[in-house]
């Protein structure tokens, strides 16, 4: 064989090999309140088609020139409208994936190009028929007592979720898991408090866009939006907890700017284009309402930071500011709490433990209570209680007198004196008077 022929054979083999080199390296599935998301991790971009078929109901995804290297059998289909997932080869090298459906859905699909956070992906979203999207979740009504006094609604946002794991730490520790655990602890604490009504923006392991998180807080008529994170930095030595508010100008530090850029890039992982216009914020940043909201955010964030100082080393002793997209609500005070650097081995070990997660939740909770006890919104139960010179608390399972005293920023002796208690014994269902602080 001549040299020219040999080169032609080799080139032909390389072209053929490259054409067949694209692989489905992994398949992941998440269930959100309103839809099921399936993500195909790819070794390179692909062409695909999505087809909906009836009798029986099926969603078919055809992917051209690709090889399935991942397992479909291991995907957990519980609580999803998918009864079975099958796959097969057609037209030579094309892959067909069939979702057998047990309920009607509205399917959507899109490809995502590789970026700094993730590789090439194909995303299939199966929206429950007739359900509101997660970003259009029904509002949570502010409960009102017989006197017309309402609860204070706290929107608790656990950062990241689903195919967006956030930052990673040692031993496969993932930010999305740590912050959801802290968010649930904070939610449980606020549920015990008379006059407060917490709501979780993300209640499970699924993705919500940054704008979607703000929209959920607004639709649920939140009085405060608190986003919980545990980020990473370029140096593993970086450590300390922080509280951030929105900046309408520049960031207050290099770290603040870096973390804001990292958090804002989360939408790249979830498939939201960063170039999409932010209609909510347009023309509002210079508004007086935004100025008032920012002022409250900074002062409330300061109360939370003071409480966090009792259990963690602070990265900075003041509330920092940067252009965090998730904080861009012009009408809701919003703070972002960095519970620590998951990239720091020491802090990662603490963040992985339930005891530290509970401590962090209690610190955030105490800071929120400090602010709203001193500055309750008009028309709320706390505002009425402040006018009466105090408030009441009903004992719940697991409560101790010292915990209640710490929660309301009073001493155990003050609680005993105002309630006529000779010792620290309390019972579930008992109502305590809380002295004004």
């Amino acid at each position: 064989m001549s040299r020219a022929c040999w080169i032609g054979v080799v080139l032909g083999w390389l072209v053929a090999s490259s054409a067949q080199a694209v692989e489905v390296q992994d398949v992941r599935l998440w269930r959100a309140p309103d839809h099921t998301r399936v993500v195909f991790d790819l070794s390179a971009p692909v062409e695909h088609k999505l087809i909906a078929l009836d009798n029986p109901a099926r969603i078919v995804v055809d992917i051209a020139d690709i090889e399935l290297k991942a397992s479909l059998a291991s995907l957990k289909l519980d609580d999803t409208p998918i009864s079975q997932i099958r796959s097969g080869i057609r037209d030579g090298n094309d892959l067909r994936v069939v979702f057998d459906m047990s309920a009607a859905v509205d399917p959507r699909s899109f490809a995502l190009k590789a970026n700094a956070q993730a590789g090439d992906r194909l995303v299939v979203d199966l929206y429950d028929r007739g359900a509101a999207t997660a970003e259009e979740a029904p509002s949570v009504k502010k409960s009102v007592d017989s006197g017309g006094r309402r609860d204070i609604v706290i929107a608790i946002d656990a950062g990241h979720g689903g195919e967006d794991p956030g930052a990673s730490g040692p031993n496969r520790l993932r930010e999305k898991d740590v912050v959801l655990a802290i968010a649930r602890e904070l939610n449980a604490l606020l549920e015990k408090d008379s006059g407060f009504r917490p709501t979780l923006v993300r209640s499970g392991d699924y993705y919500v866009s940054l704008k979607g998180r703000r929209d959920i807080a607004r639709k649920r008529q939140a009085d405060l939006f608190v986003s919980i994170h545990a980020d990473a930095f370029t140096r593993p030595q970086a450590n300390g907890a922080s509280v951030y508010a929105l900046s309408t100008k520049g960031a207050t530090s290099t770290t603040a700017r870096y973390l804001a850029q990292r958090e804002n890039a989360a939408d790249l992982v979830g498939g939201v284009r960063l170039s999409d216009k932010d209609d909510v914020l347009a023309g509002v940043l210079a508004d007086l309402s935004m100025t008032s909201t920012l002022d409250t955010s900074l002062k409330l964030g300061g109360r939370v930071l003071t409480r966090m100082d009792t259990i963690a080393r602070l990265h900075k002793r003041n509330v920092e500011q940067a252009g965090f997209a998730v904080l861009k609500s012009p009408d809701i005070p919003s703070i972002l709490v960095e519970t620590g650097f998951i990239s720091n081995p020491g802090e990662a070990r603490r963040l992985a433990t339930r005891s530290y997660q509970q401590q962090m939740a209690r610190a955030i909770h105490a800071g929120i209570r400090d602010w709203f006890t001193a500055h309750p919104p008009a028309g709320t139960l706390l505002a009425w209680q402040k006018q009466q010179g105090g408030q009441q608390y009903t004992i719940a399972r697991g409560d101790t007198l010292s915990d209640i005293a710490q929660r309301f920023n009073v001493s155990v002796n003050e609680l005993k004196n105002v309630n006529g208690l000779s010792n620290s014994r309390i019972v579930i269902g008992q109502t305590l008077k809380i002295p004004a602080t």
Side-chain angles (χ1 to χ4, degrees):
M1 182 182 296
S2 68
R3 179 182 177 84
C5 290
W6 174 252
I7 292 174
V9 169
V10 171
L11 289 176
W13 178 81
L14 289 173
V15 170
S17 297
S18 63
Q20 298 174 6
V22 182
E23 298 176 349
V24 177
Q25 298 172 325
D26 195 12
V27 183
R28 296 167 291 137
L29 181 148
W30 288 275
R31 176 63 185 167
D34 62 323
H35 72 283
T36 303
R37 170 166 285 193
V38 183
V39 178
F40 296 86
D41 290 313
L42 312 171
S43 61
V46 295
E47 297 291 331
H48 82 283
K49 290 190 297 185
L50 185 143
I51 309 166
L53 301 174
D54 296 321
N55 301 318
R58 294 153 358 257
I59 304 299
V60 177
V61 179
D62 286 333
I63 311 174
D65 294 323
I66 197 165
E67 186 176 356
L68 179 62
K69 290 291 188 179
S71 170
L72 299 176
S74 60
L75 297 177
K76 294 182 179 180
L77 305 181
D78 300 343
D79 301 320
T80 77
I82 305 171
S83 59
Q84 183 182 207
I85 305 178
R86 300 177 282 124
S87 67
I89 302 298
R90 60 189 298 274
D91 296 338
N93 298 317
D94 294 350
L95 173 67
R96 168 164 285 187
V97 179
V98 180
F99 299 89
D100 293 319
M101 308 303 300
S102 59
V105 296
D106 293 318
R108 304 176 195 173
S109 65
F110 56 92
L112 293 174
K113 294 182 179 179
N115 55 60
Q117 284 72 38
D120 288 289
R121 286 158 292 153
L122 171 61
V123 179
V124 177
D125 284 332
L126 305 174
Y127 285 91
D128 301 341
R129 185 73 55 88
T133 66
E135 298 178 10
E136 298 170 349
S139 64
V140 173
K141 293 183 179 178
K142 301 179 183 181
S143 61
V144 179
D145 69 7
S146 58
R149 297 172 286 263
R150 69 171 180 83
D151 288 339
I152 296 171
V153 177
I154 310 297
I156 307 169
D157 172 46
H160 307 279
E163 69 269 34
D164 173 20
S168 298
N171 300 318
R172 298 183 179 179
L173 187 65
R174 300 181 299 184
E175 180 182 6
K176 68 173 183 178
D177 299 326
V178 169
V179 298
L180 181 59
I182 295 173
R184 285 171 171 165
E185 295 286 353
L186 177 58
N187 186 76
L189 289 171
L190 286 166
E191 280 184 332
K192 292 181 180 180
D193 286 343
S194 174
F196 285 91
R197 190 175 186 82
T199 178
L200 289 168
V201 172
R202 175 172 74 85
S203 58
D205 186 14
Y206 52 87
Y207 171 78
V208 183
S209 72
L210 298 176
K211 179 179 180 298
R213 295 168 192 265
R214 304 194 313 256
D215 290 346
I216 289 173
R218 183 172 296 104
K219 289 180 182 297
R220 297 181 186 178
Q221 304 174 47
D223 295 283
L224 171 67
F225 177 88
V226 52
S227 191
I228 302 175
H229 293 259
D231 220 321
F233 197 60
T234 53
R235 294 180 295 103
Q237 295 82 6
N239 65 92
S242 307
V243 176
Y244 293 88
L246 180 67
S247 172
T248 59
K249 300 175 183 177
T252 52
S253 71
T254 302
T255 303
R257 183 183 303 108
Y258 173 81
L259 293 180
Q261 289 171 346
R262 274 185 59 94
E263 297 299 349
N264 293 348
D267 275 351
L268 286 173
V269 181
V272 177
R273 292 172 299 178
L274 295 182
S275 60
D276 288 350
K277 292 182 179 179
D278 192 346
D279 296 329
V280 175
L281 199 63
V284 181
L285 284 179
D287 217 285
L288 286 176
S289 62
M290 189 67 200
T291 303
S292 174
T293 301
L294 272 177
D295 183 60
T296 300
S297 301
L298 288 165
K299 291 177 179 176
L300 190 154
R303 296 291 185 102
V304 172
L305 197 64
T306 298
R307 288 291 189 164
M308 289 168 63
D309 190 24
T310 64
I311 64 145
R313 179 191 179 279
L314 299 183
H315 187 70
K316 288 287 181 68
R317 306 201 70 83
N318 57 287
V319 178
E320 294 202 77
Q321 293 179 261
F324 291 93
V326 78
L327 302 182
K328 292 181 178 179
S329 291
D331 52 345
I332 304 174
S334 303
I335 60 172
L336 187 145
V337 178
E338 288 287 357
T339 56
F341 285 90
I342 204 170
S343 53
N344 179 285
E347 290 197 341
R349 281 193 296 271
R350 290 193 293 274
L351 288 167
T353 65
R354 187 172 181 215
S355 61
Y356 191 73
Q357 292 165 1
Q358 290 174 327
Q359 289 182 58
M360 184 59 67
R362 285 197 292 266
I364 299 170
H365 167 259
I368 292 172
R369 278 209 59 91
D370 289 349
W371 173 261
F372 281 112
T373 300
H375 307 277
T380 61
L381 179 61
L382 261 66
W384 177 80
Q385 289 173 337
K386 186 179 181 183
Q387 292 173 352
Q388 306 304 307
Q391 53 186 307
Q392 294 182 331
Y393 177 74
T394 302
I395 306 301
R397 185 179 300 278
D399 280 338
T400 66
L401 205 62
S402 59
D403 285 342
I404 296 169
Q406 183 181 23
R407 184 178 305 169
F408 290 95
N409 198 27
V410 297
S411 70
V412 172
N413 285 335
E414 284 177 306
L415 274 180
K416 287 181 178 179
N417 291 337
V418 79
N419 289 282
L421 300 176
S422 59
N423 54 47
S424 297
R425 183 176 177 272
I426 54 177
V427 296
I428 297 172
Q430 178 183 356
T431 300
L432 295 179
K433 294 178 183 178
I434 307 298
T437 56

